[in-house]
């Protein structure tokens, strides 16, 4: 149980740290709706299950040891994250933050889920996180069901954190605060995503 608790703390700290997942959930929550933010968070959680699956079957270790595979994932992830940032900067009002008394711009659950899923599943740092963290907490001798429990634990914790974030960012008072700086906030998020993408593209193994 102590190991499960320690693993949960590490997962939560990783989720809370600012990154592409944090930015995309925040953007969809404050620019569209609570529902869009929640579905984005669910997409992030579903992507984590993909990382868990390939790590448990050993592919994660292969990726971490293969320069070619890692480079492919890194470039794809960087391109997608940069594209998200550019799309925000190029938007002509599509990401305008709606105040509580206004009608928010609509983003379908499918589109929100897909954005959250792709942002996380194409992030090479998520791959390295799972491979490195599993080697610290999950030994090959553990039954597969226990190993899977660790993976489900981190996916659940991260998803709950981002769902909570979506709820916090859509509280009317918070929305009004963001509404006063909406244009600058969207530009900051766009630039931050581009910066994350560039960092991913040029990061070492």
């Amino acid at each position: 149980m102590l190991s499960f608790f320690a693993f949960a703390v590490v997962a939560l700290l990783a989720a809370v740290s600012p990154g592409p997942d944090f930015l995309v959930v925040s953007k969809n929550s404050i620019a569209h709706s609570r529902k869009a933010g929640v579905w984005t968070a669910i997409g992030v959680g579903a992507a984590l299950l993909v990382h868990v699956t390939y790590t448990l079957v050993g592919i994660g270790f292969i990726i971490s040891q293969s320069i070619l595979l890692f480079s492919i994932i890194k470039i794809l992830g960087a391109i997608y994250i940069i594209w998200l940032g550019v799309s925000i900067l190029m938007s002509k009002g599509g990401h305008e933050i709606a105040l509580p008394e206004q009608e928010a711009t609509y983003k379908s659950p499918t589109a929100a889920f897909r954005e959250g899923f792709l942002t996380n599943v194409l992030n090479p740092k998520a791959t390295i996180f799972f491979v490195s963290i599993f080697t610290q907490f999950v030994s090959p001798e553990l039954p597969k069901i226990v190993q899977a429990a660790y993976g489900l634990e981190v996916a659940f914790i991260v998803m709950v954190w981002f769902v909570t974030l979506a709820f916090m960012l859509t509280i009317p008072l918070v929305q009004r605060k963001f509404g006063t700086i909406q244009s600058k906030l969207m530009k900051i998020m766009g630039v931050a995503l581009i910066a994350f993408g560039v960092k991913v593209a040029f990061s070492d193994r």
Side-chain angles (χ1 to χ4, degrees), residues 14 17 24 26 47 71 76 79 83 94 101 116 121 124 128-129 144 146 152 155 165 167 178 180 182 195 201 203:
S17 301
V24 77
S26 299
S71 297
L76 287 176
I79 290 173
W83 176 80
E101 61 272 13
V121 82
I128 301 305
F129 170 79
K144 286 295 182 182
V146 178
L152 291 174
L165 178 66
F167 270 81
F178 279 125
T180 61
Q182 56 185 4
S203 64

Side-chain angles (χ1 to χ4, degrees), residues 4 21 41 60 70 75-76 108 114 118 145 164-165 176 179 203:
F4 267 93
D21 296 336
F70 180 81
I75 296 302
L76 287 176
S108 70
R114 181 173 60 247
L118 290 176
I145 189 170
T164 302
L165 178 66
R176 290 190 179 92
S203 64

Side-chain angles (χ1 to χ4, degrees), residues 54-114:
Y54 67 62
T55 300
L56 290 180
V57 298
I59 298 177
F61 178 77
I62 295 174
I63 292 175
S64 70
Q65 298 301 312
S66 170
I67 296 176
L68 177 61
L69 285 176
F70 180 81
S71 297
I72 291 173
I73 294 174
K74 183 175 70 172
I75 296 302
L76 287 176
I79 290 173
Y80 182 73
I81 293 171
I82 292 172
W83 176 80
L84 280 179
V86 172
S87 68
I88 293 175
L89 294 179
M90 297 295 291
S91 175
K92 301 297 183 181
H95 297 296
E96 184 179 354
I97 301 172
L99 296 176
E101 61 272 13
Q102 298 174 331
E103 183 179 354
T105 55
Y106 179 73
K107 193 177 192 71
S108 70
T110 301
F113 177 91
R114 181 173 60 247

Side-chain angles (χ1 to χ4, degrees):
M1 292 302 298
L2 182 61
S3 180
F4 267 93
F5 177 76
F7 192 66
V9 171
V10 172
L12 183 59
L13 290 175
V16 172
S17 301
D21 296 336
F22 184 94
L23 288 173
V24 77
V25 171
S26 299
K27 184 264 293 183
N28 283 345
S29 297
I30 62 180
H32 299 290
S33 65
R34 175 176 293 175
K35 184 177 181 180
V38 168
W39 276 104
T40 306
I42 294 173
V44 172
L48 287 172
L49 294 179
V50 175
H51 294 301
V52 169
T53 301
Y54 67 62
T55 300
L56 290 180
V57 298
I59 298 177
F61 178 77
I62 295 174
I63 292 175
S64 70
Q65 298 301 312
S66 170
I67 296 176
L68 177 61
L69 285 176
F70 180 81
S71 297
I72 291 173
I73 294 174
K74 183 175 70 172
I75 296 302
L76 287 176
I79 290 173
Y80 182 73
I81 293 171
I82 292 172
W83 176 80
L84 280 179
V86 172
S87 68
I88 293 175
L89 294 179
M90 297 295 291
S91 175
K92 301 297 183 181
H95 297 296
E96 184 179 354
I97 301 172
L99 296 176
E101 61 272 13
Q102 298 174 331
E103 183 179 354
T105 55
Y106 179 73
K107 193 177 192 71
S108 70
T110 301
F113 177 91
R114 181 173 60 247
E115 203 165 275
F117 181 86
L118 290 176
T119 298
N120 184 272
V121 82
L122 291 175
N123 186 357
K125 291 187 179 299
T127 298
I128 301 305
F129 170 79
F130 270 94
V131 173
S132 61
I133 208 68
F134 263 64
T135 59
Q136 299 298 318
F137 289 92
V138 183
S139 65
E141 292 77 22
L142 284 176
K144 286 295 182 182
I145 189 170
V146 178
Q147 295 184 33
Y150 275 98
L152 291 174
E153 178 189 27
V154 66
F156 178 76
I157 288 172
V158 172
M159 185 179 69
V160 168
W161 155 247
F162 283 122
V163 167
T164 302
L165 178 66
F167 270 81
M168 291 191 300
L169 291 175
T170 49
I171 296 172
L173 178 60
V174 177
Q175 281 183 301
R176 290 190 179 92
K177 293 293 185 181
F178 279 125
T180 61
I181 56 171
Q182 56 185 4
S183 180
K184 291 182 179 179
L185 183 62
M186 286 297 104
K187 289 180 179 179
I188 290 173
M189 286 190 174
V191 171
L193 280 170
I194 293 173
F196 274 117
V198 172
K199 182 179 179 181
V200 167
F202 291 97
S203 64
D204 294 329
R205 299 185 63 205

